Amino acid sequence: MTVGYVHGYSQQETGRLGDQADTLARLLHQGTAYPAGSRVLEVGCGVGAQTVHLVASSPGARIVAVDIAEDSLARARARLAAQAPAARVEWVLGDVLDLPFPDGSFDHLFVCFVLEHLTDPHRALTGLRRLLRPGGTLTVIEGDHGTAVFHPDSAHARAAIHCLVDLQAMAGGDALIGRRVRPLLSAAGYRDVVVQPRTVYVDGARPDLVEGFIRNTFTAMVASMGPDALAAGLTTPDEWRRGIADLHRTAEPDGTFHYTFFKAVAVNPGT
Amino acid sequence: MTVGYVHGYSQQETGRLGDQADTLARLLHQGTAYPAGSRVLEVGCGVGAQTVHLVASSPGARIVAVDIAEDSLARARARLAAQAPAARVEWVLGDVLDLPFPDGSFDHLFVCFVLEHLTDPHRALTGLRRLLRPGGTLTVIEGDHGTAVFHPDSAHARAAIHCLVDLQAMAGGDALIGRRVRPLLSAAGYRDVVVQPRTVYVDGARPDLVEGFIRNTFTAMVASMGPDALAAGLTTPDEWRRGIADLHRTAEPDGTFHYTFFKAVAVNPGT
């Protein structure tokens, strides 16, 4: 059921996810700090881009990080060893739909940029609830490419972004899932679901985000999908080039960029 | 140069603007409080929907409110008399492009939901700067219909919203102006331009905003443009009905709605 990871597993992709996490960490992780001794499971840790921030914000928590890709886990482990050598994380290989933990094993679950890749996020969320003790919390963070709004506006850039939405849909996922997080969590039996928009707005006054978000995160992510978009017949080389160029254009001093992430916290009411 | 006010001047429109201001007031006005004795000009006060919040947040400021429509000014005056009888506001009839005040008359300018309606916002902003003392501030708040993202997603609803963008463009304005606020202010000679996204996110956990924003503000605004959209040949009665119905659908318990306003504060550096 877990679909192919649409972003691929290249070294460049690893770097992109690292840049993204570092620039956006404060925005996304604000409010997430687990008590010392609490049992926390990060689901779909990938290359550890969020894990480094989890251990920084919750130094006393007992963090288990799981991913379906052995190579990603190795990179995550190396990243933690380099960036947070004192942190103790337990690394587990496993599929989000069939995780090797007894019921109620965790006080908190953390799921960031994972649901967008799943064919059946409802089934995944329902299964994850089993791993939470009653009263435990689930935190979900997802993007939504429909919130990407920029200046100068460009039909070419919008078309390039839409290619990502189409590719994600073809792979069984949903790059517009941010807007659906609350109904998904409610339908999966979670209660007290609180969703906050975490909006990134970038203009010439924020050169760190111009570099870290517009160039190194969002445009790099779109650009990395060029071969797949071309192979799927969703664009042409010329159209794609213009789209990427127009996204880079928004990083000029008079450009602006807007994108909203959706962060949800919800409670497992128990059976 | 000032174009026809695309939303019209009906009683219903007056009510819509009142609902909008009350629900969104905290979000939009947060951070705007002018010192006692300071001279403040609200440009394009319309029916006074924002004026009531200005006087509430800045009770000691000397507020002048200007609008191009005599009827709107009368309604604004009546609204203030009813909702803030102790407030003293000076009401002035005038065109934003030719305001009857000497240079440097004001310490602060407040311009909310006005630039979107102008054919030449650059010229308006440049002219307004003349009215500010050196070191005085300009506050601008604008929406951007491109940030409207909702669940369930609907091509019909998106098409209805796009009709508003087209109508505003046909009238010489720009319903996507939020993303352009910073470059507009910089080009008009303002300095220290700081733009913040003010994102409205609504779901079943916020029944006040479901009613106040999804239904009474956004969907009501779109619905009110139906006759114009039909007259302009931008839609059909059936397509329009489906679009409005689908917008209302987002107000159901499992629906969500996202919209970002852009709030800028900038300084007049003087000559």
Side-chain angles (χ1 to χ4, degrees):
Chain A
M1 294 292 289
T2 308
V3 302
Y5 185 60
V6 72
H7 299 311
Y9 292 101
S10 69
Q11 279 290 354
Q12 198 177 359
E13 174 66 10
T14 310
R16 180 184 74 76
L17 293 174
D19 284 339
Q20 173 173 334
D22 294 342
T23 304
L24 299 177
R26 205 173 314 167
L27 183 82
L28 299 182
H29 284 264
Q30 191 178 36
T32 300
Y34 300 114
S38 59
R39 303 160 300 165
V40 176
L41 176 67
E42 183 188 6
V43 179
C45 67
V47 298
Q50 307 305 326
T51 319
V52 293
H53 301 290
L54 276 182
V55 301
S57 301
S58 306
R62 292 151 55 192
I63 296 178
V64 180
V66 64
D67 201 88
I68 196 173
E70 197 154 10
D71 186 49
S72 294
L73 275 183
R75 292 188 195 186
R77 190 189 295 258
R79 179 193 294 266
L80 266 285
Q83 296 183 22
R88 282 188 308 182
V89 175
E90 183 182 341
W91 306 96
V92 175
L93 188 70
D95 186 327
V96 60
L97 292 177
D98 185 26
L99 289 174
F101 306 106
D103 289 9
S105 297
F106 296 97
D107 300 301
H108 305 288
L109 304 183
F110 183 84
V111 187
C112 184
F113 305 144
V114 172
L115 300 183
E116 63 169 319
H117 299 292
L118 304 182
T119 300
D120 192 345
H122 173 77
R123 184 176 154 203
L125 287 166
T126 305
L128 286 174
R129 197 157 71 75
R130 180 185 67 75
L131 304 183
L132 266 182
R133 68 162 166 83
T137 73
L138 166 73
T139 296
V140 167
I141 302 175
E142 293 290 340
D144 187 319
H145 291 355
T147 66
V149 158
F150 39 85
H151 175 77
D153 195 12
S154 153
H156 305 294
R158 279 186 270 119
I161 293 169
H162 201 75
C163 287
L164 267 68
V165 177
D166 287 341
L167 285 170
Q168 188 71 287
M170 290 160 63
D174 181 5
L176 309 176
I177 201 168
R179 69 191 75 179
R180 292 205 290 136
V181 166
R182 182 184 145 91
L184 279 169
L185 296 192
S186 296
Y190 295 86
R191 291 295 172 264
D192 302 327
V193 184
V194 175
V195 177
Q196 292 181 331
R198 299 275 170 114
T199 301
V200 182
Y201 167 75
V202 190
D203 63 26
R206 296 294 309 270
D208 56 328
L209 282 171
V210 168
E211 206 55 30
F213 188 75
I214 299 182
R215 286 210 177 92
N216 295 344
T217 299
F218 193 83
T219 304
M221 174 188 69
V222 178
S224 73
M225 301 303 292
D228 292 338
L230 288 162
L234 297 173
T235 185
T236 66
D238 193 53
E239 170 70 7
W240 186 258
R241 223 176 351 254
R242 293 177 71 173
I244 300 301
D246 285 355
L247 285 174
H248 278 294
R249 172 66 184 82
T250 70
E252 296 296 310
D254 66 344
T256 70
F257 206 101
H258 166 286
Y259 190 97
T260 298
F261 297 92
F262 294 81
K263 180 171 184 174
V265 179
V267 175
N268 173 28
T271 46
Chain B
M1 294 294 287
T2 308
V3 301
Y5 184 60
V6 73
H7 299 310
Y9 291 102
S10 69
Q11 279 290 356
Q12 198 177 0
E13 173 67 10
T14 310
R16 181 184 73 78
L17 293 174
D19 284 339
Q20 173 172 337
D22 293 342
T23 303
L24 298 176
R26 205 173 313 165
L27 183 83
L28 300 181
H29 283 264
Q30 191 178 37
T32 299
Y34 300 114
S38 58
R39 304 161 299 166
V40 176
L41 178 67
E42 183 188 5
V43 180
C45 66
V47 298
Q50 307 306 324
T51 319
V52 293
H53 300 290
L54 275 182
V55 302
S57 302
S58 306
R62 292 151 56 192
I63 295 177
V64 180
V66 64
D67 201 87
I68 197 173
E70 199 154 8
D71 185 49
S72 294
L73 275 183
R75 292 188 195 186
R77 189 190 297 256
R79 179 193 293 268
L80 266 285
Q83 296 184 21
R88 282 186 310 181
V89 175
E90 183 182 341
W91 305 97
V92 175
L93 188 69
D95 186 325
V96 59
L97 292 176
D98 185 25
L99 289 173
F101 306 106
D103 289 8
S105 296
F106 296 96
D107 300 301
H108 305 288
L109 304 183
F110 183 83
V111 187
C112 184
F113 305 145
V114 172
L115 299 183
E116 62 169 321
H117 299 291
L118 305 181
T119 300
D120 192 345
H122 174 77
R123 184 176 153 202
L125 288 166
T126 305
L128 287 174
R129 197 157 69 77
R130 181 186 67 75
L131 304 183
L132 266 184
R133 68 162 166 82
T137 73
L138 166 72
T139 295
V140 167
I141 301 174
E142 294 290 341
D144 186 318
H145 290 356
T147 66
V149 159
F150 39 85
H151 175 76
D153 195 12
S154 153
H156 306 293
R158 280 186 269 118
I161 294 169
H162 202 74
C163 286
L164 267 68
V165 177
D166 287 341
L167 285 170
Q168 188 72 287
M170 289 161 64
D174 181 4
L176 308 175
I177 201 168
R179 69 191 77 179
R180 291 205 293 136
V181 165
R182 181 183 146 93
L184 279 168
L185 296 191
S186 295
Y190 295 86
R191 291 295 171 264
D192 302 326
V193 184
V194 175
V195 177
Q196 291 181 331
R198 299 276 171 114
T199 300
V200 182
Y201 168 75
V202 190
D203 63 27
R206 296 295 308 270
D208 57 328
L209 283 170
V210 168
E211 206 54 30
F213 188 75
I214 298 182
R215 286 209 176 93
N216 295 343
T217 299
F218 193 83
T219 303
M221 174 187 72
V222 178
S224 73
M225 302 303 293
D228 291 339
L230 288 162
L234 297 173
T235 185
T236 64
D238 193 54
E239 169 69 9
W240 186 259
R241 225 176 348 255
R242 293 178 70 172
I244 300 301
D246 285 354
L247 285 174
H248 278 294
R249 171 66 184 82
T250 69
E252 296 297 310
D254 66 344
T256 71
F257 206 101
H258 166 285
Y259 190 96
T260 298
F261 297 93
F262 294 82
K263 179 170 185 174
V265 179
V267 175
N268 173 28
T271 48

